[in-house]
Amino acid sequence: MGSQEVLGQTTRLASSSALLQVLFRAVTFALNAFALRYLSRELIGVVNVRLTLLYSTVVFLAREAFRRACLSGSTRRNWTKTINLLWLTVPLGVFWSVCLGLVWLHLLEVPDPSVVPHYQAGVVAFGLSAIIELLGEPFWVLAQAHLFVRLKVIAESLSVVSKCVLTVILVVLYPQWGLYIFCLAQLLYASVLVLCYVIYFVIFLGSPEATKKSFPVARMKSLLPSLVEDETFVNWKEARLTWSFFKQAFLKQILTEGERYVMTFLNVLNFGDQGVYDIVNNLGSLVARFIFLPIEESFYVFFAKVLERGKNVKDQKKEDVAMAADVLESLLKLVLLTGLTITVFGYAYSQLALDIYGGSMLSSGTGPDLLRCYSLYVLFLAVNGVTECFTFASMCKEEVDSSQHPLHLWLLQRKHLQTSDGLASLPNFGAHLYHKWSDHWFLRGVLLLR
């Protein structure tokens, strides 16, 4: 597949992801705003901070490194070994789910059962949903590597909408169920997501379209772990690269979810205040999730295919390097313009947005100030995502290992979690950006071509 074709499909993937996410998230945005009228702040805080942190930590630690490693390079590879490697995410997810579940149940503060009942069931359900989602990891990577533009977007959108619809129905009809509502909704989300990928590949594999595209997998059985005769079970080059990304995953997860870890382990806010904080945080990060995240995920695939990992810029094809430079420059301009727009309007209309979304529960107190901080925070998110997807797509294993930089530990200097928590995250991203520019030679080399 030529560089121009890869660029075209990647652009369609990013734009389709962003547009469909905006469409489906607009529906869920309205449904969530409706459901807020029926829920207590404490219940929102436990679900959106405590339990969601458990789920996101298990999923991230179990799969992020595998995704980074297995999406690198050409699609012409021994996919049997790659699929074998990807299935290791499931036992790893079980391990993290059990270990962290015990921490969440026995070492952290347990909510008052009279205010938030069924907490133990919530921990089990969110841990189980993470394991269910990991069952679809080989399908996700295979689809992403071959640039199946619509599959990922439709699968995620359907799962989000089904989760949101079920939540609203149960909140209105059975509000006394408490955490059971969110347990069922989370399990439905993971199940729908995995089923969408499985159903698609059941229909696609063996079809004329798959034959026409010379798809490397011919039947569903090939997507299960299997031994390769007279060869190793996995590709050890990919496995070593996965280990390098895995070591870095801990720092990245702390940087990404730092404020939630502070709230969860240090108890600096009660569950009610955590609920308000998380709602404001979700509103402030809408642009990051709708626009920046699809761009980062899609163009990571593009850079990984166009550029040869670990090679000096002078040793690569000039036309590929020039295209990568053009794309990187355009992406930085796009995300900066978007970030500046959000900063200007977000700062001016924070209180109005919160009043429309959640009423006086959100618009009174420190909510508007926190959302204004996040409006500035968006600028750092914009540049960080694009530069990170580029650098990690072109780093060799040794560079990934060396990127464990002391500057990443800026997070540990955050001493207080107050209304300026959004600003407290800025040093982390400043450190991220400085590290990428100062330590990664390839990024400097490509930008100098401009």
Side-chain angles (χ1 to χ4, degrees), residues 75-292:
T75 56
R76 295 179 179 178
R77 65 177 79 182
N78 188 329
W79 276 101
T80 300
K81 293 184 177 183
T82 300
I83 291 170
N84 288 342
L85 181 64
L86 288 168
W87 277 110
L88 295 178
T89 59
V90 178
L92 191 60
V94 173
F95 170 78
W96 285 118
S97 184
V98 171
C99 292
L100 294 176
L102 292 174
V103 172
W104 258 242
L105 287 173
H106 300 293
L107 297 183
L108 298 180
E109 177 189 1
V110 177
D112 185 353
S114 63
V115 179
V116 183
H118 319 304
Y119 172 73
Q120 289 77 10
V123 172
V124 173
F126 274 72
L128 179 60
S129 70
I131 297 172
I132 293 173
E133 186 170 337
L134 291 172
L135 292 173
E137 199 59 22
F139 304 94
W140 187 93
V141 170
L142 197 60
Q144 194 79 347
H146 290 85
L147 301 175
F148 289 177
V149 176
R150 295 180 182 84
L151 173 58
K152 174 178 177 290
V153 179
I154 292 175
E156 293 187 355
S157 299
L158 286 177
S159 57
V160 168
V161 170
S162 61
K163 172 185 174 181
C164 191
V165 170
L166 180 63
T167 301
V168 171
I169 292 174
L170 294 180
V171 162
V172 174
L173 297 180
Y174 306 102
Q176 70 276 10
W177 283 13
L179 276 181
Y180 283 150
I181 295 173
F182 297 93
C183 294
L184 293 173
Q186 184 66 26
L187 290 171
L188 177 66
Y189 166 83
S191 301
V192 170
L193 184 63
V194 174
L195 280 175
C196 285
Y197 281 99
V198 172
I199 292 172
Y200 178 86
F201 278 102
V202 167
I203 297 172
F204 176 74
L205 295 181
S207 66
E209 183 183 359
T211 305
K212 181 181 178 181
K213 292 182 176 180
S214 299
F215 199 71
V217 178
R219 51 184 181 170
M220 286 296 294
K221 187 178 179 180
S222 301
L223 290 173
L224 298 175
S226 58
L227 294 175
V228 182
E229 189 176 352
D230 298 327
E231 293 187 40
T232 57
F233 184 70
V234 299
N235 183 324
W236 283 107
K237 182 179 179 181
E238 287 181 348
R240 286 190 290 268
L241 185 59
T242 300
W243 174 243
S244 296
F245 281 122
F246 181 76
K247 290 184 290 185
Q248 193 177 66
F250 287 95
L251 285 174
K252 183 177 179 181
Q253 178 65 5
I254 291 174
L255 289 170
T256 303
E257 302 280 10
E259 64 276 7
R260 285 181 172 84
Y261 286 115
V262 171
M263 289 188 290
T264 298
F265 287 94
L266 300 183
N267 297 322
V268 293
L269 294 177
N270 60 44
F271 289 114
D273 290 338
Q274 288 182 27
V276 173
Y277 166 79
D278 186 75
I279 294 170
V280 175
N281 174 52
N282 287 336
L283 287 174
S285 62
L286 281 176
V287 176
R289 287 184 283 127
F290 288 174
I291 300 176
F292 300 154

Side-chain angles (χ1 to χ4, degrees), residues 28-29 32-33 36-37 279 283 352-359 362:
T28 58
F29 183 87
N32 285 332
L36 280 176
R37 271 68 179 177
I279 294 170
L283 287 174
L352 176 62
L354 290 177
D355 194 58
I356 293 173
Y357 187 63
L362 300 181

Side-chain angles (χ1 to χ4, degrees), residues 381-395:
L381 288 171
V383 181
N384 177 77
V386 172
T387 54
E388 184 176 272
C389 84
F390 177 87
T391 53
F392 283 122
S394 55
M395 280 180 172

